[in-house]
Every structure is written in C-alpha cells, then in structure tokens.
Amino acid sequence: MGLMRPQVLIIGCGFGGLEAARALRAAEVDITLVDKTNHHLFQPLLYQVATAGLSAPSIAAPIRHLFRGQRNVTTLLGEVTGIDANARTATLKDGAVLRWDHLIVAAGATHSYFGRDEWAAHAPGLKTLEDAFEIRRRVLLAFEAAEREDDPARRAALMQFVVVGAGPTGVELAGTFAEIARHTLPGEFRRIDPRQARVLLVEGSPRVLQAMPESLSESARAQLAALGVDVRLGARVTGIDAEGLDITTSAGAERLASRCVVWAAGVAASPLGRVLAEATGCTLDRAGRVVVEPDLSLKGFANLQVIGDLAAAQSHAPGQDPKPVPGVSPGAKQMGRCAAANIKRRLRGEVTQAFRYRDYGNLATIGRNSAVVDLGTPAGPLRFSGYFAWLFWLFAHVYFLIGYRNRFVVLLDWAWAYWTYDRGARVVANAGLAGLNEASPVHDVKA
Amino acid sequence: MGLMRPQVLIIGCGFGGLEAARALRAAEVDITLVDKTNHHLFQPLLYQVATAGLSAPSIAAPIRHLFRGQRNVTTLLGEVTGIDANARTATLKDGAVLRWDHLIVAAGATHSYFGRDEWAAHAPGLKTLEDAFEIRRRVLLAFEAAEREDDPARRAALMQFVVVGAGPTGVELAGTFAEIARHTLPGEFRRIDPRQARVLLVEGSPRVLQAMPESLSESARAQLAALGVDVRLGARVTGIDAEGLDITTSAGAERLASRCVVWAAGVAASPLGRVLAEATGCTLDRAGRVVVEPDLSLKGFANLQVIGDLAAAQSHAPGQDPKPVPGVSPGAKQMGRCAAANIKRRLRGEVTQAFRYRDYGNLATIGRNSAVVDLGTPAGPLRFSGYFAWLFWLFAHVYFLIGYRNRFVVLLDWAWAYWTYDRGARVVANAGLAGLNEASPVHDVKA
C-alpha cells in the first residue's frame, strides 16, 4: 500500500464548498465532496424557477460533471448526520462512515419560521429546486382554481399573493408575481382578469432590502409600488393558516386572505451546526450559525473549518475592527477559497491566514427593468437604480452562472421573456387542484 | 339573455383534443377544453426528458397560453370522472358539472401491466412529465448508489437497466440509456466505470418496432446492438419486483437483477372508456378502446365523438376495406380535425364524413446518429436508416414541436449534446437514495 494522501472532506456543494474544492485542484490531497443533492444550485436565480421564468436545469449543474476533470475529487450523494471531531469521521444518514484529515463544513442554511414550524405547510420557503417547484405549482394553480371559482370572496383569496420578508428573495418574488399577473397571464383566462390579482409584500422592519443603503431601499420600494406590489412595512406576522395570514401593524391587527403565501423572512443555519456544537463544544449564534475563529476553524480543532451561511464569520482587514461577513454568495465563495488556502498552508507547515471579506457591492432586482445596485469603487460608493441597474444585474448574474450552455439558454429565455412577456417554464408536473377548490365542490361552470 | 351558442366540450388536450379545438377556431361555438394538467405535452420527445436530454418546459406548453388568442376557447384544469350522454353533462372529480351540446373525448391512454398492477411500483411507464422525472431520478440515482456500493453483485444490479417493450418508446429509451453509460457519464465517477453498465431491451415478439417493415426492424436491432444494448426478443416477463425481473425465453427462465426497470410494453385506453361504455352502451376492444362509428361518433349518440388513443377507429378510404388506425400522433391529429369538421357539418345540417387516415410514414430513433424512416411516397415506399434517417427524424420532430422558442432551445440542446456528449438536464430535485443502498447500510467509503 502506497503513501496515503491527506483526506479532505467537504460537506455541501453550494458556493462555498464548490469554491473550496476547486481551490484545492492542484493540492496533493484526496477530496471527498458530499451533498444531499446531485447538483450545484445557482441560488440567486432560484426565484426565476419558482416564477416559471427558467427551467431547473438552467440553474443547476450536476456536481460530478463540474468535477469531471478534477481527478482528486470524489463526489458522493448523501446526507451527513453525524460528525466525530476527535475520531475525524463523518457519518451519513444511511450509516456509511467517511474518514477525514481536514474537514470543511459548508452545509448552508434553511428556512426559519421563528419557532412556528406549523407555518411551513402554508408558507413554503425558497432554498431548493423542490421548494421552487412547489411555489410555481401554488402560484399557477391558484389562478387555475380562481378561473373555476364562482364565489367572489374565495376567488379574491385565490388571487391574493403574499410574500413574507422583503430581503432580496422576497423583493424578487413579489416583483415577479406582479409581473406575471399584469403582463404574462392577461388574455389567457375567460372568467377572471389576472390583472386584478393583488401582491402583498409584508416586512417587519421599516424598509425593504435592509442590507442596502437607505436611498436604494426607498428606490426599491417605489419600484415595487410602480409594479403594483402593496408593500407593508413594520408588519409582524402573528399567524398563518391554510386560508391566509394575520399581521399586526401600528394601525392594528389585519387579516389577509390568501391561498398562496411564500416565506422569505427567516434563515436558520443547517442542523449540522448543532451537530458541530455537540462534537466540538463550539458556540452557535442566535441563528444557529457556528462562531468560528479568524481563520474559519473551530477552537481546538484547527483542521475543521466552517464556511458559508453556516458560519458566523468575521472579516479581518489589517488595521480595522473585525466586521461580520454578510450571508451572500461572494462571502461564501471567498470563505471557500480561504479554507482551501488554509489547508494548503497547514500541509506546508505554515500558519493559517485570517479571513478577510472583500465587498464588491450589492445588487437586487425587482422585476422587468427594475433593480438597485450599490458598488464600492476606489472613488467611493456608486449607487444607481432602474433600467441600467437591471441590465447590470442581469449580466452580472449570467456571467457568474456556471456552464456556457446555461448562460446562453438563460440569456435566450430572458430575451424571449423580455420581448414577448411570456414565461417559458409555466409547467406544473403534478397539477392536482387538491385543496384549492374544495370549499366549493359543486358549481356549474356555464352558470 | 342572448342566444346561446352551441357548447362544445373537449376532454383532453393531447394531439387530438388540441387539433380539434384549433379546427373549431372560426366556428360559432363556445368550446370548453378540460385537461388533467396545465400543459400540452409533446409526447414524442418525452423520452428525452426522462433521459435528461431536455428540460420539461422545452416539450410542454401551457394549454391556456396556446389558446390565448382563440377567444371561443375556455381552458379548465380538471379531471372528468363522469359522463351523462342523455343529459349531456360531464362531471369533474370535485363535483363540478359541465353541460355540452357536442362532446369530443380525447382522453388518451395510460400504461397497462396486463393485469399485474403490482409491477407498476417497480417498473414505471412513460406517459406524463411526472413519469419522466421518476425515470430520470431512478437512472441517475442508480449510478450514484453504485458509486457508493462495495458489494460487486449489488453494484452490478444497480448498473443493469432493463427496458420492457421494444416499440418506439422502448427502443428510444434503451438506446439513450446506452449512450448515457458510454458517452455522457464516463470520467465523472471514481469508483465505478459507467461503461460497464448493461442495458437490456426485453421484447415478447420476435422483432423490435413491430409497426415497421421487417427490414427496418432488423436495422434498428443492429443499431441497438452497435450501441451496446442487449436485445432479448421472444422474451416474456413473468415477474417484476424491487430487485429485478424474471423472463422466459425459448432458452428457459432467466432472472435479471436490476434496480431500474422501465415499462414500455403495454398501453391501455383511459378509464374514461369504461365510463363511456356505461353511459352509452358502446363497445370496448381488448385494450379498452372505444369502438366508434365511421364518423368517430358513438352509435345512437351522433353528437359524441371519441378520438385519438382512446378510439378504436377505422380508416375509410373510398374503394378500400376499412383499416385500423395506428396509435400515433398523426392519427390523433387527423381524428381531431375530422371530429371538428363533423361538428361544423352537423351545425350546418349536413351529413358527417367518415374518417380517413392518411399515412405519411413512420419514424423511430435509436440514439446518436441512429434512426429508421419509412415514408410513403407517390413513387412507393422510401425506407432508410442510419445518420440521414436520424437527421430526418430530428428535423421532423423539431418542426412539429409547438412554440418557436421551444424549437430553438431544443435544437440548441441537441447541438450541445451532439458536440459535447453532455446532457443538460441531469438534475434530480428529490435526490433521496432511499431504497437504493438500503441493502448495505454501513460501509466505509474509503475502505
């Protein structure tokens, strides 16, 4: 038996895990990359799959295809449920055991309903392709059920769409829902007018896109309003059920009837955070994220690094106070590269480096021709919104999309949608109207 | 209340129902088009979705979008479960009632397991998008599970794929599975060699593509063999379970271990055939299809026509004996146009016309560069196979595909797949390995 090369295990193939594995391309290590799914997902465009603008394969690339040419990577489909930091093993859900010398945990985040998990059934979140299909199904079938509904109140509830949370995902979803109602569907129904659909965006804080400068938040709010989205700021959700949701604002309590509520409010770290806490004694923050050392490792476990949305990491710039790293994809990618670099340093016997986040700016889109852009330049911040911001957003996203064919297909889909207002992926595989018309089981369509 | 226009109800929006509704574009009637799904499916390319070559939206168009400009069509999502031919009503699953003056039933066909419905769980068929996603999932996850499997026998079973039935769908699936194993996946796995996967095509009759002339069947068999498909002719399936299937040939009984069996053998008419038989006393043939009059109506119910795969129809050419109509999409389309023409004739007080099937030929593809073509020309039959047959097949299918954007995207996907051997839609949304590795719950991946 020959000399065993150091074994690197990477859990999760989002932006962080993918980048870490790539950065170890030339390293003398064996990498095992484990993910729960068979694809790397380009999450910034997932809302387009949920709103039928793109098909799933356009934004999802098979992981093992991405690493086809990188011979030191073995891809495994599986879910890690246990970690032993002393024995240096990870256990998969089905009992298989993986040994590691260096571990990078990049398991990401999931939805958080702030302890109200019973809301999940009525208000799906948007993290996976399955989530996107479910939201697509609910939105399209709500219009189908409305076309068949005779009762005006129930019809109005079917045509009222509520997005909870006005971060980037919530803003994108609400803006696109409004576009679908106003531009895509009109003319296709005979008994309802899709333009009468209402889209509400409910946000607890006083402004949308909190990570953005205040002027851009206000611009985004105005662009949403121009698209017809009813933005409710400072509104707290107190209940969600199959028929709608309850909110409280300074004006008092209000009931919003809706058969299609989408949850874009809370993010919680992967349950692997708790597994790590039990295995290493590390600290978790309020969102369940793992508090890491400056070099992204865990205290006492120098060969175990946590990156991406699962990490509560700080940026360490020389001469400045540490600053929290925002939960955005450039942050995850940069952490992935840092973790890989630290493994290489340790293999060479060098000291590890502290993580430093480089902020190149912040983009969010709202809908057709609408976006806000906040860039850091050597000359100071550059902020703009509207049509050119939208073009900038579009090309930035297509540029970072993985796979040349995908980039081309996505641009084609966008060009098509732009000129025709059509959305190419309005297909629901499982089209049962179960539950949507159940309140009115008998009605004569011709009556 | 004004004058009520005649009410036409069309059940099913496959090739037959779609064509019937289109042919009534200028008629002074109100059309209600009911389908169980929200999309018209281009079934000839469904095997490409199952084998990850195309994404679902490329071959599925929202029905109400197709009829956006045809104002006399109302599209409803729903499942018809009851028909009263005397009261002229149809009842949906949820109890809603639709009245009609003219009814066209175009509900199509489903899989038949020849009375062995317990096989369905182990050998899915291919009729809907959900079927296609399930087959895609099983094929791709079988390779994933094989990569994680240590036991050679279980690994071999995971890498053995069996298609039952060598009609056009079975031949396409088997050929494409072989292509995936030989061309798409090699290089992406570290512990298995996908080229060692075996693809078997099991057929009860003595040749593949029975609807084709014998010389083309033999050519197709040879092209399948060249792709590495093990074709078993004259083989009867006697059992299917979670671990494989049992077949009997002239050589005796044989057990084929497989975790991925696809059923492309039997077709049965929609259950609406039985509903119609109870409602009208019409006769069903052995496959459950409705025996129709020469003008596609039912005996005693001149305003009720049955078309497409649900109809056991005859072609009536002047001076010739009636001939059965094959269950192919041109047959369904032509019946749709005939049924619409007959409704218009009845509205004008004219006699209806007998259906006449015009056979323009028969195509089937086997895989990359491989197909067989049988065309009827005024100068006699034109038969060819191989590369030019494949090009002919490809352009014929893209030409008939609905939607300009789809045609372009499909051509692009094919061109990409052709030059790179890649398949763009290798994405599985629900990627649980449940059941696939359960026989070996504990194994050390590095062992």
Side-chain angles (χ1 to χ4, degrees):
Chain A
M1 188 176 157
L3 203 65
M4 193 86 161
R5 305 209 297 183
Q7 302 291 313
V8 177
L9 176 64
I10 301 176
I11 301 174
C13 190
F15 288 110
L18 180 76
E19 204 68 20
R22 283 184 166 174
L24 291 168
R25 176 182 298 265
E28 288 291 320
V29 296
D30 289 329
I31 304 162
T32 302
L33 183 49
V34 185
D35 197 282
K36 284 192 289 186
T37 74
N38 79 333
H39 52 271
H40 167 76
L41 189 62
F42 191 76
Q43 272 196 336
L45 292 182
L46 188 57
Y47 83 98
Q48 282 286 347
V49 174
T51 55
L54 294 175
S55 71
S58 289
I59 63 154
I63 296 167
R64 61 174 68 258
H65 186 69
L66 295 174
F67 289 100
R68 177 192 194 115
Q70 188 173 335
R71 301 301 302 177
N72 65 352
V73 171
T74 299
T75 304
L76 291 182
L77 179 66
E79 184 175 354
V80 173
T81 52
I83 290 168
D84 187 326
N86 296 306
R88 296 189 178 174
T89 59
T91 309
L92 303 191
K93 200 177 185 180
D94 62 7
V97 173
L98 307 172
R99 297 206 186 89
W100 48 267
D101 302 309
H102 302 268
L103 175 63
I104 298 176
V105 185
T110 178
H111 326 295
S112 163
Y113 292 88
F114 307 129
R116 302 293 294 267
D117 289 346
E118 69 275 19
W119 294 353
H122 311 300
L126 183 62
K127 277 283 170 196
T128 66
L129 282 180
E130 281 190 287
D131 294 338
F133 290 143
E134 178 60 21
I135 291 172
R136 185 198 288 181
R137 198 181 72 83
R138 290 189 185 210
V139 173
L140 295 179
L141 295 193
F143 283 103
E144 295 291 336
E147 175 83 342
R148 290 189 43 193
E149 182 62 65
D150 293 318
D151 181 82
R154 284 198 296 257
R155 187 185 279 192
L158 284 165
M159 292 177 67
Q160 180 147 287
F161 301 87
V162 182
V163 178
V164 181
T169 299
V171 166
E172 285 157 356
L173 283 173
T176 315
F177 287 168
E179 264 187 35
I180 289 174
R182 290 180 136 208
H183 295 300
T184 305
L185 298 183
E188 299 196 2
F189 292 81
R190 302 290 179 256
R191 307 172 87 235
I192 61 168
D193 179 358
R195 282 168 298 198
Q196 289 176 0
R198 295 189 63 208
V199 180
L200 288 96
L201 179 59
V202 172
E203 166 63 35
S205 80
R207 59 189 179 97
V208 305
L209 298 176
Q210 281 217 279
M212 287 276 186
E214 218 157 313
S215 63
L216 291 183
S217 288
E218 175 48 29
S219 166
R221 198 205 51 74
Q223 291 179 61
L224 282 165
L227 278 167
V229 176
D230 184 352
V231 182
R232 304 289 182 93
L233 299 172
R236 204 162 51 86
V237 175
T238 56
I240 308 180
D241 54 52
E243 309 279 324
L245 72 169
D246 298 295
I247 63 171
T248 309
T249 61
S250 57
E254 189 178 356
R255 170 76 181 174
L256 302 172
S258 172
R259 306 298 294 269
C260 185
V261 180
V262 178
W263 186 260
V267 169
S270 155
L272 269 188
R274 209 159 306 137
V275 172
L276 279 171
E278 279 168 31
T280 66
C282 67
T283 311
L284 302 184
D285 75 359
R286 235 166 36 109
R289 296 182 307 166
V290 176
V291 177
V292 295
E293 297 291 289
D295 67 354
L296 305 177
S297 71
L298 298 191
K299 196 168 236 138
F301 298 91
N303 54 351
L304 196 172
Q305 296 178 95
V306 182
I307 64 173
D309 283 349
L310 180 57
Q314 305 274 330
S315 174
H316 300 265
Q320 292 178 21
D321 285 341
K323 271 191 292 197
V325 182
V328 293
S329 54
K333 285 183 180 181
Q334 293 175 29
M335 284 191 242
R337 286 194 288 270
C338 176
N342 281 342
I343 287 175
K344 289 191 272 190
R345 281 166 181 259
R346 286 176 51 82
L347 292 175
R348 292 193 301 259
E350 299 172 8
V351 292
T352 56
Q353 64 184 3
F355 176 64
R356 176 181 179 183
Y357 173 60
R358 282 177 174 80
D359 187 355
Y360 296 109
N362 211 341
L363 323 178
T365 183
I366 294 127
R368 188 182 179 76
N369 300 345
S370 315
V372 289
V373 173
D374 175 26
L375 298 181
T377 74
L382 174 64
R383 293 170 185 165
F384 55 112
S385 58
Y387 182 67
F388 285 102
W390 181 75
L391 273 184
F392 186 89
W393 172 89
L394 194 154
F395 283 102
H397 278 71
V398 171
Y399 177 80
F400 283 112
L401 192 60
I402 279 163
Y404 289 102
R405 178 194 150 281
N406 288 1
R407 280 178 212 172
F408 189 71
V409 170
V410 165
L411 264 186
L412 182 77
D413 277 340
W414 252 310
W416 180 267
Y418 191 81
W419 280 299
T420 65
Y421 285 99
D422 188 18
R423 299 184 77 76
R426 280 168 45 205
V427 170
V428 177
N430 172 13
L433 280 178
L436 283 172
N437 279 105
E438 68 194 342
S440 58
V442 181
H443 63 110
D444 186 326
V445 171
K446 279 175 52 192
Chain B
M1 188 177 157
L3 201 66
M4 194 86 163
R5 305 208 298 180
Q7 302 290 313
V8 177
L9 176 64
I10 301 175
I11 303 173
C13 192
F15 288 109
L18 180 75
E19 204 67 19
R22 284 183 165 176
L24 290 168
R25 174 182 299 266
E28 288 292 321
V29 296
D30 289 331
I31 303 162
T32 303
L33 183 50
V34 185
D35 197 281
K36 284 192 289 188
T37 74
N38 79 333
H39 51 272
H40 168 77
L41 189 63
F42 192 76
Q43 271 196 337
L45 292 181
L46 188 57
Y47 83 98
Q48 283 285 346
V49 175
T51 55
L54 294 175
S55 71
S58 289
I59 63 154
I63 297 168
R64 61 174 68 259
H65 186 68
L66 296 175
F67 289 100
R68 177 190 194 117
Q70 188 173 337
R71 302 300 302 176
N72 66 350
V73 171
T74 299
T75 304
L76 292 182
L77 179 66
E79 185 174 351
V80 173
T81 52
I83 290 169
D84 187 326
N86 296 306
R88 296 187 177 176
T89 59
T91 309
L92 302 189
K93 201 176 183 178
D94 62 8
V97 173
L98 306 172
R99 297 204 187 92
W100 47 268
D101 301 308
H102 302 269
L103 174 63
I104 298 176
V105 186
T110 178
H111 328 295
S112 163
Y113 291 88
F114 307 128
R116 302 293 294 268
D117 289 346
E118 70 275 18
W119 293 354
H122 312 301
L126 183 61
K127 278 282 170 194
T128 67
L129 282 179
E130 280 191 287
D131 293 338
F133 290 144
E134 178 60 23
I135 292 172
R136 185 196 288 180
R137 197 181 73 82
R138 290 188 185 210
V139 173
L140 295 178
L141 296 192
F143 283 103
E144 295 292 336
E147 176 82 343
R148 289 189 45 194
E149 182 62 65
D150 293 319
D151 181 82
R154 283 198 295 258
R155 186 184 279 192
L158 285 165
M159 290 177 69
Q160 179 147 290
F161 301 87
V162 182
V163 178
V164 181
T169 299
V171 166
E172 285 158 355
L173 284 172
T176 314
F177 287 167
E179 265 187 34
I180 290 174
R182 291 178 136 208
H183 296 299
T184 305
L185 298 182
E188 300 196 2
F189 292 81
R190 302 293 179 255
R191 307 171 85 236
I192 61 168
D193 179 357
R195 281 168 299 199
Q196 289 175 0
R198 294 188 64 208
V199 179
L200 287 95
L201 180 59
V202 172
E203 165 63 36
S205 79
R207 60 190 179 97
V208 306
L209 298 177
Q210 280 215 282
M212 287 277 188
E214 218 158 310
S215 63
L216 291 182
S217 289
E218 176 48 30
S219 166
R221 198 206 50 74
Q223 292 180 58
L224 282 165
L227 279 167
V229 176
D230 185 350
V231 182
R232 304 289 182 94
L233 299 172
R236 203 162 52 85
V237 175
T238 56
I240 308 180
D241 54 53
E243 308 278 324
L245 72 170
D246 298 295
I247 62 172
T248 309
T249 61
S250 57
E254 189 179 356
R255 170 77 181 173
L256 304 172
S258 172
R259 306 299 293 268
C260 185
V261 181
V262 178
W263 186 260
V267 168
S270 154
L272 270 189
R274 210 159 305 137
V275 172
L276 278 172
E278 278 167 34
T280 67
C282 66
T283 311
L284 302 183
D285 74 358
R286 236 164 37 107
R289 297 182 307 167
V290 176
V291 177
V292 294
E293 298 291 290
D295 66 353
L296 305 175
S297 71
L298 298 191
K299 198 172 232 132
F301 297 92
N303 54 351
L304 196 172
Q305 296 177 94
V306 182
I307 63 173
D309 283 350
L310 180 55
Q314 305 274 329
S315 172
H316 300 265
Q320 292 179 22
D321 286 340
K323 271 189 293 195
V325 182
V328 294
S329 54
K333 285 184 181 179
Q334 293 174 28
M335 284 191 246
R337 286 194 289 269
C338 177
N342 280 341
I343 288 176
K344 289 191 273 190
R345 281 166 181 258
R346 283 176 54 82
L347 293 175
R348 291 193 302 260
E350 299 171 9
V351 294
T352 56
Q353 64 183 6
F355 176 65
R356 177 181 177 180
Y357 173 60
R358 282 176 174 78
D359 186 355
Y360 297 109
N362 211 342
L363 324 177
T365 183
I366 294 125
R368 190 181 177 76
N369 300 347
S370 315
V372 287
V373 172
D374 175 25
L375 297 181
T377 74
L382 174 64
R383 293 169 185 166
F384 55 113
S385 59
Y387 182 66
F388 285 103
W390 180 75
L391 274 184
F392 185 89
W393 171 88
L394 194 154
F395 283 102
H397 278 72
V398 171
Y399 176 79
F400 283 112
L401 194 60
I402 279 163
Y404 288 104
R405 178 194 150 280
N406 289 0
R407 281 178 211 172
F408 190 71
V409 170
V410 165
L411 264 185
L412 182 76
D413 277 339
W414 252 311
W416 181 265
Y418 191 82
W419 281 299
T420 65
Y421 286 97
D422 188 17
R423 299 185 74 79
R426 279 169 46 205
V427 169
V428 177
N430 171 12
L433 280 178
L436 283 171
N437 279 106
E438 68 193 344
S440 60
V442 182
H443 63 113
D444 186 324
V445 171
K446 280 176 52 193

